Amino acid sequence: MVVERSMDEWLITAWEVFDERERAVVAGRSKGRTLDEVGAPLGLSRERVRQIQSGTRKRLVVMADMAQDSWREKLLTAGAGMASPRGAFAAALGVVDHVLLDELLTAAGLAAPRTWAGPLRGWWSADPGALGDALRHLVEAAPFRGDDLGQAAFEAGLPVGLPLRRLLSHSESRLALSPDGHWVRRKARGRDAAYLWLLETGRPCRADELLAPMASTTAAAVREALRRDDRFRQIRPEGTWALAEWTHLRASTYASAVEAMVSVVTESGPLSRTQLFAKVTELYPVTAWRLKQCLLSDQLGETLDGLVDLVSRGARPFEEEEPVQPDTMAVEGEVLGMRIPVNGDILRGSGVNVNTWLTWRLGLRRAPMSRTFTTPGDHSPLVVRRGTSSAQISSLRRHALELEVVDGCVLAVLLRLDDGTARVGHGCVPETCPARRPQAAAPPGLNAFETQEA
């Protein structure tokens, strides 16, 4: 019969039994050092270090069996959860928290829990993958305020005492700490920050109010990001942004001012502009300028007696007056050139707003209308679109990446009106180019387009 002894006294005595080299190997491996790192100062090969550690562990197990025949079962019971600190295993055996415990835990079949930061040293489990699963559940619950971390960890089933902030701050963590101290997902940090901002503010916000929390540069970028996330919805006609979970907010039944205007004309018949604008603003209160822009919709037109009616009922589409030509655009023969500043929208692949003179010159007098220009190679074609309130050109991102331009540079875009082709070049002035690539720059003005065409 095996006699139960004080494991506390025995473990300390066992440590003294091993020689200095064996202790150095055990201590080094407990700290997470590799076989090579442990062996280097001792003048040992990695294989020799492995042999010493293995031999030490076998001798320790023999001594443990003599001292306490149920030590394996006690360790496995203590490690049944996703992660337990080494001190919990020491308490289960009634011993001091000693470095030799690591060897006993390994011999019992336990291992350090696996996380995105690697093995969690000082913690052990019979199911090393369970902690990683729980951390993924925590990520799925994000975002959350900094002071809600404890509650979120509890709901994810994470053990008390886990060095959670250290894990979440690791470079491989899927979460990141925002400037205002909240936890957001790395790949959605802007939208997550907006969600928490709205949650804390408790009211719908304009896009420009979300610039700072989202660390964004333009209101257009904010709007595009929120449109792609079903946690948000836009409150019309104000154009503010709210959380989809706020069911108490009333939103207009119309998706846009154009939709409201078409609905009024459909139900009421031909109306003067004054009558139409008055009725529409009751349903969808927007500015008179916006309502005038809506008349350029391809659904609305003018009757012979000057009233607004549906094109489908015979009204003649409204013709837009020629806008003022901007200095950044020029035409020579069948070539139209423009200089477009590079910003975050272009680098993200978003459409960038351009002066409506471009769409007027291309014959896109109503909305929605578009024209496509093919580009050399396997690039996506450039698309110029006309909306009721703005004009856009898209598919510039790949050109910007290949030209290695940065925010603040200028793209020189050349459109051929006769054959529907386009070219894109770097249009910065060499001395002021933010990318510092004078060899790729072209002179300002239309000469830049001529250089690219040549």
Side-chain angles (χ1 to χ4, degrees), residues 61-97:
V61 166
V62 172
M63 288 185 275
D65 287 337
M66 295 174 60
Q68 198 175 89
D69 59 359
S70 59
W71 66 272
R72 290 181 180 82
E73 290 75 12
K74 291 179 180 179
L75 292 181
L76 289 172
T77 299
M82 65 180 64
S84 298
R86 195 169 64 189
F89 297 97
L93 293 181
V95 300
V96 294
D97 185 2

PDB file of all heavy atoms in Angstrom, residues 61-97:
ATOM      1  N   VAL A  61       7.786  11.561 -12.079  1.00  0.00           N
ATOM      2  CA  VAL A  61       6.547  10.783 -12.044  1.00  0.00           C
ATOM      3  C   VAL A  61       6.681   9.601 -11.089  1.00  0.00           C
ATOM      4  O   VAL A  61       5.755   9.281 -10.326  1.00  0.00           O
ATOM      5  CB  VAL A  61       6.188  10.297 -13.467  1.00  0.00           C
ATOM      6  CG1 VAL A  61       5.108   9.211 -13.416  1.00  0.00           C
ATOM      7  CG2 VAL A  61       5.720  11.466 -14.316  1.00  0.00           C
ATOM      8  N   VAL A  62       7.831   8.950 -11.109  1.00  0.00           N
ATOM      9  CA  VAL A  62       8.052   7.833 -10.184  1.00  0.00           C
ATOM     10  C   VAL A  62       7.937   8.306  -8.745  1.00  0.00           C
ATOM     11  O   VAL A  62       7.288   7.673  -7.895  1.00  0.00           O
ATOM     12  CB  VAL A  62       9.425   7.186 -10.444  1.00  0.00           C
ATOM     13  CG1 VAL A  62       9.746   6.160  -9.351  1.00  0.00           C
ATOM     14  CG2 VAL A  62       9.460   6.539 -11.817  1.00  0.00           C
ATOM     15  N   MET A  63       8.560   9.434  -8.448  1.00  0.00           N
ATOM     16  CA  MET A  63       8.501   9.972  -7.092  1.00  0.00           C
ATOM     17  C   MET A  63       7.088  10.400  -6.730  1.00  0.00           C
ATOM     18  O   MET A  63       6.643  10.248  -5.591  1.00  0.00           O
ATOM     19  CB  MET A  63       9.477  11.139  -6.958  1.00  0.00           C
ATOM     20  CG  MET A  63      10.939  10.703  -6.934  1.00  0.00           C
ATOM     21  SD  MET A  63      12.097  12.071  -6.631  1.00  0.00           S
ATOM     22  CE  MET A  63      12.279  12.697  -8.306  1.00  0.00           C
ATOM     23  N   ALA A  64       6.344  10.953  -7.714  1.00  0.00           N
ATOM     24  CA  ALA A  64       4.968  11.370  -7.459  1.00  0.00           C
ATOM     25  C   ALA A  64       4.082  10.167  -7.171  1.00  0.00           C
ATOM     26  O   ALA A  64       3.218  10.206  -6.279  1.00  0.00           O
ATOM     27  CB  ALA A  64       4.439  12.147  -8.652  1.00  0.00           C
ATOM     28  N   ASP A  65       4.293   9.077  -7.898  1.00  0.00           N
ATOM     29  CA  ASP A  65       3.498   7.864  -7.660  1.00  0.00           C
ATOM     30  C   ASP A  65       3.738   7.313  -6.251  1.00  0.00           C
ATOM     31  O   ASP A  65       2.822   6.785  -5.607  1.00  0.00           O
ATOM     32  CB  ASP A  65       3.853   6.792  -8.689  1.00  0.00           C
ATOM     33  CG  ASP A  65       3.298   7.118 -10.064  1.00  0.00           C
ATOM     34  OD1 ASP A  65       2.321   7.890 -10.129  1.00  0.00           O
ATOM     35  OD2 ASP A  65       3.834   6.597 -11.061  1.00  0.00           O
ATOM     36  N   MET A  66       4.953   7.445  -5.789  1.00  0.00           N
ATOM     37  CA  MET A  66       5.267   6.969  -4.453  1.00  0.00           C
ATOM     38  C   MET A  66       4.659   7.869  -3.389  1.00  0.00           C
ATOM     39  O   MET A  66       4.259   7.411  -2.312  1.00  0.00           O
ATOM     40  CB  MET A  66       6.790   6.897  -4.264  1.00  0.00           C
ATOM     41  CG  MET A  66       7.490   5.877  -5.161  1.00  0.00           C
ATOM     42  SD  MET A  66       9.276   5.966  -5.002  1.00  0.00           S
ATOM     43  CE  MET A  66       9.492   5.608  -3.265  1.00  0.00           C
ATOM     44  N   ALA A  67       4.568   9.175  -3.686  1.00  0.00           N
ATOM     45  CA  ALA A  67       4.090  10.120  -2.683  1.00  0.00           C
ATOM     46  C   ALA A  67       2.573  10.217  -2.644  1.00  0.00           C
ATOM     47  O   ALA A  67       1.979  10.384  -1.576  1.00  0.00           O
ATOM     48  CB  ALA A  67       4.679  11.504  -2.953  1.00  0.00           C
ATOM     49  N   GLN A  68       1.902  10.112  -3.801  1.00  0.00           N
ATOM     50  CA  GLN A  68       0.454  10.340  -3.839  1.00  0.00           C
ATOM     51  C   GLN A  68      -0.107   9.617  -5.057  1.00  0.00           C
ATOM     52  O   GLN A  68       0.020  10.087  -6.190  1.00  0.00           O
ATOM     53  CB  GLN A  68       0.175  11.853  -3.930  1.00  0.00           C
ATOM     54  CG  GLN A  68      -1.231  12.225  -3.548  1.00  0.00           C
ATOM     55  CD  GLN A  68      -1.419  13.727  -3.537  1.00  0.00           C
ATOM     56  OE1 GLN A  68      -1.766  14.299  -4.572  1.00  0.00           O
ATOM     57  NE2 GLN A  68      -1.187  14.362  -2.397  1.00  0.00           N
ATOM     58  N   ASP A  69      -0.747   8.481  -4.841  1.00  0.00           N
ATOM     59  CA  ASP A  69      -1.148   7.647  -5.971  1.00  0.00           C
ATOM     60  C   ASP A  69      -2.307   8.242  -6.783  1.00  0.00           C
ATOM     61  O   ASP A  69      -2.595   7.778  -7.882  1.00  0.00           O
ATOM     62  CB  ASP A  69      -1.500   6.239  -5.495  1.00  0.00           C
ATOM     63  CG  ASP A  69      -2.632   6.239  -4.467  1.00  0.00           C
ATOM     64  OD1 ASP A  69      -3.104   7.336  -4.126  1.00  0.00           O
ATOM     65  OD2 ASP A  69      -3.008   5.143  -4.017  1.00  0.00           O
ATOM     66  N   SER A  70      -3.004   9.249  -6.315  1.00  0.00           N
ATOM     67  CA  SER A  70      -4.148   9.826  -7.044  1.00  0.00           C
ATOM     68  C   SER A  70      -3.829  11.186  -7.672  1.00  0.00           C
ATOM     69  O   SER A  70      -4.728  11.942  -8.018  1.00  0.00           O
ATOM     70  CB  SER A  70      -5.349   9.967  -6.094  1.00  0.00           C
ATOM     71  OG  SER A  70      -5.019  10.806  -4.997  1.00  0.00           O
ATOM     72  N   TRP A  71      -2.557  11.497  -7.825  1.00  0.00           N
ATOM     73  CA  TRP A  71      -2.206  12.841  -8.304  1.00  0.00           C
ATOM     74  C   TRP A  71      -2.698  13.113  -9.730  1.00  0.00           C
ATOM     75  O   TRP A  71      -3.105  14.221 -10.041  1.00  0.00           O
ATOM     76  CB  TRP A  71      -0.691  13.056  -8.196  1.00  0.00           C
ATOM     77  CG  TRP A  71       0.156  12.184  -9.088  1.00  0.00           C
ATOM     78  CD1 TRP A  71       0.631  10.958  -8.789  1.00  0.00           C
ATOM     79  CD2 TRP A  71       0.607  12.491 -10.415  1.00  0.00           C
ATOM     80  NE1 TRP A  71       1.365  10.448  -9.838  1.00  0.00           N
ATOM     81  CE2 TRP A  71       1.371  11.377 -10.846  1.00  0.00           C
ATOM     82  CE3 TRP A  71       0.462  13.569 -11.273  1.00  0.00           C
ATOM     83  CZ2 TRP A  71       1.962  11.328 -12.103  1.00  0.00           C
ATOM     84  CZ3 TRP A  71       1.064  13.538 -12.519  1.00  0.00           C
ATOM     85  CH2 TRP A  71       1.803  12.428 -12.938  1.00  0.00           C
ATOM     86  N   ARG A  72      -2.689  12.080 -10.599  1.00  0.00           N
ATOM     87  CA  ARG A  72      -3.154  12.282 -11.964  1.00  0.00           C
ATOM     88  C   ARG A  72      -4.631  12.661 -12.000  1.00  0.00           C
ATOM     89  O   ARG A  72      -5.044  13.591 -12.705  1.00  0.00           O
ATOM     90  CB  ARG A  72      -2.926  11.028 -12.805  1.00  0.00           C
ATOM     91  CG  ARG A  72      -1.475  10.728 -13.125  1.00  0.00           C
ATOM     92  CD  ARG A  72      -1.373   9.484 -13.978  1.00  0.00           C
ATOM     93  NE  ARG A  72      -0.002   9.152 -14.317  1.00  0.00           N
ATOM     94  CZ  ARG A  72       0.820   8.478 -13.499  1.00  0.00           C
ATOM     95  NH1 ARG A  72       0.390   8.099 -12.294  1.00  0.00           N
ATOM     96  NH2 ARG A  72       2.057   8.218 -13.871  1.00  0.00           N
ATOM     97  N   GLU A  73      -5.452  11.926 -11.247  1.00  0.00           N
ATOM     98  CA  GLU A  73      -6.890  12.181 -11.250  1.00  0.00           C
ATOM     99  C   GLU A  73      -7.198  13.578 -10.710  1.00  0.00           C
ATOM    100  O   GLU A  73      -8.071  14.281 -11.230  1.00  0.00           O
ATOM    101  CB  GLU A  73      -7.612  11.125 -10.398  1.00  0.00           C
ATOM    102  CG  GLU A  73      -7.631   9.726 -10.988  1.00  0.00           C
ATOM    103  CD  GLU A  73      -6.288   9.014 -10.861  1.00  0.00           C
ATOM    104  OE1 GLU A  73      -5.408   9.508 -10.126  1.00  0.00           O
ATOM    105  OE2 GLU A  73      -6.112   7.964 -11.511  1.00  0.00           O
ATOM    106  N   LYS A  74      -6.462  13.978  -9.691  1.00  0.00           N
ATOM    107  CA  LYS A  74      -6.680  15.311  -9.113  1.00  0.00           C
ATOM    108  C   LYS A  74      -6.331  16.417 -10.123  1.00  0.00           C
ATOM    109  O   LYS A  74      -7.036  17.416 -10.245  1.00  0.00           O
ATOM    110  CB  LYS A  74      -5.857  15.477  -7.839  1.00  0.00           C
ATOM    111  CG  LYS A  74      -6.342  14.611  -6.682  1.00  0.00           C
ATOM    112  CD  LYS A  74      -5.468  14.794  -5.458  1.00  0.00           C
ATOM    113  CE  LYS A  74      -5.964  13.935  -4.301  1.00  0.00           C
ATOM    114  NZ  LYS A  74      -5.115  14.072  -3.096  1.00  0.00           N
ATOM    115  N   LEU A  75      -5.247  16.218 -10.834  1.00  0.00           N
ATOM    116  CA  LEU A  75      -4.847  17.220 -11.831  1.00  0.00           C
ATOM    117  C   LEU A  75      -5.845  17.280 -12.986  1.00  0.00           C
ATOM    118  O   LEU A  75      -6.195  18.365 -13.462  1.00  0.00           O
ATOM    119  CB  LEU A  75      -3.447  16.909 -12.362  1.00  0.00           C
ATOM    120  CG  LEU A  75      -2.293  17.077 -11.365  1.00  0.00           C
ATOM    121  CD1 LEU A  75      -0.961  16.746 -12.053  1.00  0.00           C
ATOM    122  CD2 LEU A  75      -2.252  18.491 -10.802  1.00  0.00           C
ATOM    123  N   LEU A  76      -6.296  16.130 -13.454  1.00  0.00           N
ATOM    124  CA  LEU A  76      -7.261  16.111 -14.567  1.00  0.00           C
ATOM    125  C   LEU A  76      -8.591  16.731 -14.155  1.00  0.00           C
ATOM    126  O   LEU A  76      -9.244  17.408 -14.950  1.00  0.00           O
ATOM    127  CB  LEU A  76      -7.467  14.676 -15.045  1.00  0.00           C
ATOM    128  CG  LEU A  76      -6.279  14.047 -15.787  1.00  0.00           C
ATOM    129  CD1 LEU A  76      -6.514  12.561 -16.032  1.00  0.00           C
ATOM    130  CD2 LEU A  76      -6.039  14.778 -17.112  1.00  0.00           C
ATOM    131  N   THR A  77      -8.997  16.508 -12.914  1.00  0.00           N
ATOM    132  CA  THR A  77     -10.237  17.116 -12.430  1.00  0.00           C
ATOM    133  C   THR A  77     -10.102  18.634 -12.376  1.00  0.00           C
ATOM    134  O   THR A  77     -10.996  19.378 -12.792  1.00  0.00           O
ATOM    135  CB  THR A  77     -10.592  16.577 -11.030  1.00  0.00           C
ATOM    136  OG1 THR A  77     -10.776  15.157 -11.113  1.00  0.00           O
ATOM    137  CG2 THR A  77     -11.863  17.220 -10.501  1.00  0.00           C
ATOM    138  N   ALA A  78      -8.975  19.105 -11.866  1.00  0.00           N
ATOM    139  CA  ALA A  78      -8.742  20.554 -11.776  1.00  0.00           C
ATOM    140  C   ALA A  78      -8.619  21.194 -13.162  1.00  0.00           C
ATOM    141  O   ALA A  78      -8.924  22.378 -13.338  1.00  0.00           O
ATOM    142  CB  ALA A  78      -7.486  20.828 -10.967  1.00  0.00           C
ATOM    143  N   GLY A  79      -8.199  20.404 -14.155  1.00  0.00           N
ATOM    144  CA  GLY A  79      -8.016  20.951 -15.510  1.00  0.00           C
ATOM    145  C   GLY A  79      -9.145  20.644 -16.451  1.00  0.00           C
ATOM    146  O   GLY A  79      -8.990  20.747 -17.672  1.00  0.00           O
ATOM    147  N   ALA A  80     -10.314  20.266 -15.899  1.00  0.00           N
ATOM    148  CA  ALA A  80     -11.435  19.898 -16.772  1.00  0.00           C
ATOM    149  C   ALA A  80     -12.009  21.098 -17.509  1.00  0.00           C
ATOM    150  O   ALA A  80     -12.657  20.957 -18.549  1.00  0.00           O
ATOM    151  CB  ALA A  80     -12.528  19.217 -15.946  1.00  0.00           C
ATOM    152  N   GLY A  81     -11.805  22.315 -16.978  1.00  0.00           N
ATOM    153  CA  GLY A  81     -12.316  23.515 -17.639  1.00  0.00           C
ATOM    154  C   GLY A  81     -11.437  23.936 -18.803  1.00  0.00           C
ATOM    155  O   GLY A  81     -10.459  23.276 -19.146  1.00  0.00           O
ATOM    156  N   MET A  82     -11.780  25.080 -19.406  1.00  0.00           N
ATOM    157  CA  MET A  82     -11.022  25.540 -20.576  1.00  0.00           C
ATOM    158  C   MET A  82      -9.642  26.066 -20.207  1.00  0.00           C
ATOM    159  O   MET A  82      -8.720  26.024 -21.024  1.00  0.00           O
ATOM    160  CB  MET A  82     -11.810  26.609 -21.334  1.00  0.00           C
ATOM    161  CG  MET A  82     -12.033  27.906 -20.568  1.00  0.00           C
ATOM    162  SD  MET A  82     -12.964  29.099 -21.555  1.00  0.00           S
ATOM    163  CE  MET A  82     -14.528  28.238 -21.723  1.00  0.00           C
ATOM    164  N   ALA A  83      -9.456  26.528 -18.972  1.00  0.00           N
ATOM    165  CA  ALA A  83      -8.142  27.016 -18.556  1.00  0.00           C
ATOM    166  C   ALA A  83      -8.137  27.228 -17.054  1.00  0.00           C
ATOM    167  O   ALA A  83      -9.071  27.799 -16.499  1.00  0.00           O
ATOM    168  CB  ALA A  83      -7.797  28.323 -19.271  1.00  0.00           C
ATOM    169  N   SER A  84      -7.083  26.752 -16.396  1.00  0.00           N
ATOM    170  CA  SER A  84      -6.917  26.961 -14.959  1.00  0.00           C
ATOM    171  C   SER A  84      -5.474  27.364 -14.705  1.00  0.00           C
ATOM    172  O   SER A  84      -4.549  26.836 -15.336  1.00  0.00           O
ATOM    173  CB  SER A  84      -7.238  25.685 -14.168  1.00  0.00           C
ATOM    174  OG  SER A  84      -8.586  25.302 -14.361  1.00  0.00           O
ATOM    175  N   PRO A  85      -5.247  28.305 -13.779  1.00  0.00           N
ATOM    176  CA  PRO A  85      -3.871  28.719 -13.482  1.00  0.00           C
ATOM    177  C   PRO A  85      -3.124  27.619 -12.736  1.00  0.00           C
ATOM    178  O   PRO A  85      -3.729  26.755 -12.097  1.00  0.00           O
ATOM    179  CB  PRO A  85      -4.062  29.958 -12.602  1.00  0.00           C
ATOM    180  CG  PRO A  85      -5.398  29.750 -11.954  1.00  0.00           C
ATOM    181  CD  PRO A  85      -6.234  29.039 -12.975  1.00  0.00           C
ATOM    182  N   ARG A  86      -1.823  27.673 -12.809  1.00  0.00           N
ATOM    183  CA  ARG A  86      -1.013  26.642 -12.172  1.00  0.00           C
ATOM    184  C   ARG A  86      -1.289  26.555 -10.675  1.00  0.00           C
ATOM    185  O   ARG A  86      -1.252  25.477 -10.083  1.00  0.00           O
ATOM    186  CB  ARG A  86       0.473  26.917 -12.421  1.00  0.00           C
ATOM    187  CG  ARG A  86       1.373  25.732 -12.106  1.00  0.00           C
ATOM    188  CD  ARG A  86       2.775  25.954 -12.606  1.00  0.00           C
ATOM    189  NE  ARG A  86       3.414  27.081 -11.932  1.00  0.00           N
ATOM    190  CZ  ARG A  86       4.584  27.608 -12.301  1.00  0.00           C
ATOM    191  NH1 ARG A  86       5.212  27.124 -13.354  1.00  0.00           N
ATOM    192  NH2 ARG A  86       5.102  28.626 -11.654  1.00  0.00           N
ATOM    193  N   GLY A  87      -1.628  27.695 -10.056  1.00  0.00           N
ATOM    194  CA  GLY A  87      -1.928  27.697  -8.628  1.00  0.00           C
ATOM    195  C   GLY A  87      -3.113  26.822  -8.269  1.00  0.00           C
ATOM    196  O   GLY A  87      -3.167  26.252  -7.172  1.00  0.00           O
ATOM    197  N   ALA A  88      -4.102  26.706  -9.199  1.00  0.00           N
ATOM    198  CA  ALA A  88      -5.263  25.862  -8.922  1.00  0.00           C
ATOM    199  C   ALA A  88      -4.864  24.396  -8.845  1.00  0.00           C
ATOM    200  O   ALA A  88      -5.419  23.626  -8.054  1.00  0.00           O
ATOM    201  CB  ALA A  88      -6.314  26.069 -10.012  1.00  0.00           C
ATOM    202  N   PHE A  89      -3.893  23.998  -9.631  1.00  0.00           N
ATOM    203  CA  PHE A  89      -3.431  22.603  -9.602  1.00  0.00           C
ATOM    204  C   PHE A  89      -2.599  22.353  -8.348  1.00  0.00           C
ATOM    205  O   PHE A  89      -2.648  21.256  -7.768  1.00  0.00           O
ATOM    206  CB  PHE A  89      -2.614  22.298 -10.857  1.00  0.00           C
ATOM    207  CG  PHE A  89      -3.418  22.410 -12.124  1.00  0.00           C
ATOM    208  CD1 PHE A  89      -3.389  23.560 -12.886  1.00  0.00           C
ATOM    209  CD2 PHE A  89      -4.229  21.368 -12.534  1.00  0.00           C
ATOM    210  CE1 PHE A  89      -4.130  23.672 -14.056  1.00  0.00           C
ATOM    211  CE2 PHE A  89      -4.972  21.460 -13.705  1.00  0.00           C
ATOM    212  CZ  PHE A  89      -4.935  22.625 -14.464  1.00  0.00           C
ATOM    213  N   ALA A  90      -1.834  23.368  -7.929  1.00  0.00           N
ATOM    214  CA  ALA A  90      -1.073  23.230  -6.698  1.00  0.00           C
ATOM    215  C   ALA A  90      -2.016  23.029  -5.515  1.00  0.00           C
ATOM    216  O   ALA A  90      -1.772  22.178  -4.647  1.00  0.00           O
ATOM    217  CB  ALA A  90      -0.201  24.474  -6.488  1.00  0.00           C
ATOM    218  N   ALA A  91      -3.127  23.796  -5.516  1.00  0.00           N
ATOM    219  CA  ALA A  91      -4.103  23.659  -4.435  1.00  0.00           C
ATOM    220  C   ALA A  91      -4.765  22.289  -4.462  1.00  0.00           C
ATOM    221  O   ALA A  91      -5.038  21.683  -3.412  1.00  0.00           O
ATOM    222  CB  ALA A  91      -5.147  24.762  -4.547  1.00  0.00           C
ATOM    223  N   ALA A  92      -5.028  21.773  -5.671  1.00  0.00           N
ATOM    224  CA  ALA A  92      -5.672  20.455  -5.787  1.00  0.00           C
ATOM    225  C   ALA A  92      -4.796  19.356  -5.218  1.00  0.00           C
ATOM    226  O   ALA A  92      -5.289  18.360  -4.661  1.00  0.00           O
ATOM    227  CB  ALA A  92      -6.004  20.168  -7.246  1.00  0.00           C
ATOM    228  N   LEU A  93      -3.474  19.509  -5.333  1.00  0.00           N
ATOM    229  CA  LEU A  93      -2.549  18.505  -4.813  1.00  0.00           C
ATOM    230  C   LEU A  93      -2.093  18.812  -3.391  1.00  0.00           C
ATOM    231  O   LEU A  93      -1.440  17.980  -2.758  1.00  0.00           O
ATOM    232  CB  LEU A  93      -1.322  18.407  -5.718  1.00  0.00           C
ATOM    233  CG  LEU A  93      -1.534  17.860  -7.138  1.00  0.00           C
ATOM    234  CD1 LEU A  93      -0.200  17.816  -7.877  1.00  0.00           C
ATOM    235  CD2 LEU A  93      -2.168  16.485  -7.114  1.00  0.00           C
ATOM    236  N   GLY A  94      -2.396  20.042  -2.910  1.00  0.00           N
ATOM    237  CA  GLY A  94      -1.953  20.428  -1.580  1.00  0.00           C
ATOM    238  C   GLY A  94      -0.472  20.711  -1.516  1.00  0.00           C
ATOM    239  O   GLY A  94       0.193  20.402  -0.526  1.00  0.00           O
ATOM    240  N   VAL A  95       0.060  21.329  -2.592  1.00  0.00           N
ATOM    241  CA  VAL A  95       1.494  21.632  -2.643  1.00  0.00           C
ATOM    242  C   VAL A  95       1.680  23.114  -2.929  1.00  0.00           C
ATOM    243  O   VAL A  95       0.742  23.833  -3.259  1.00  0.00           O
ATOM    244  CB  VAL A  95       2.196  20.803  -3.750  1.00  0.00           C
ATOM    245  CG1 VAL A  95       2.039  19.322  -3.487  1.00  0.00           C
ATOM    246  CG2 VAL A  95       1.649  21.171  -5.117  1.00  0.00           C
ATOM    247  N   VAL A  96       2.912  23.551  -2.804  1.00  0.00           N
ATOM    248  CA  VAL A  96       3.225  24.928  -3.190  1.00  0.00           C
ATOM    249  C   VAL A  96       3.221  25.029  -4.719  1.00  0.00           C
ATOM    250  O   VAL A  96       3.410  24.026  -5.413  1.00  0.00           O
ATOM    251  CB  VAL A  96       4.607  25.348  -2.650  1.00  0.00           C
ATOM    252  CG1 VAL A  96       4.609  25.413  -1.137  1.00  0.00           C
ATOM    253  CG2 VAL A  96       5.689  24.422  -3.163  1.00  0.00           C
ATOM    254  N   ASP A  97       2.988  26.251  -5.225  1.00  0.00           N
ATOM    255  CA  ASP A  97       3.020  26.477  -6.679  1.00  0.00           C
ATOM    256  C   ASP A  97       4.482  26.469  -7.111  1.00  0.00           C
ATOM    257  O   ASP A  97       5.196  27.460  -6.971  1.00  0.00           O
ATOM    258  CB  ASP A  97       2.348  27.814  -7.005  1.00  0.00           C
ATOM    259  CG  ASP A  97       2.251  28.056  -8.497  1.00  0.00           C
ATOM    260  OD1 ASP A  97       2.662  27.178  -9.272  1.00  0.00           O
ATOM    261  OD2 ASP A  97       1.772  29.136  -8.893  1.00  0.00           O
TER     262      ASP A  97
END
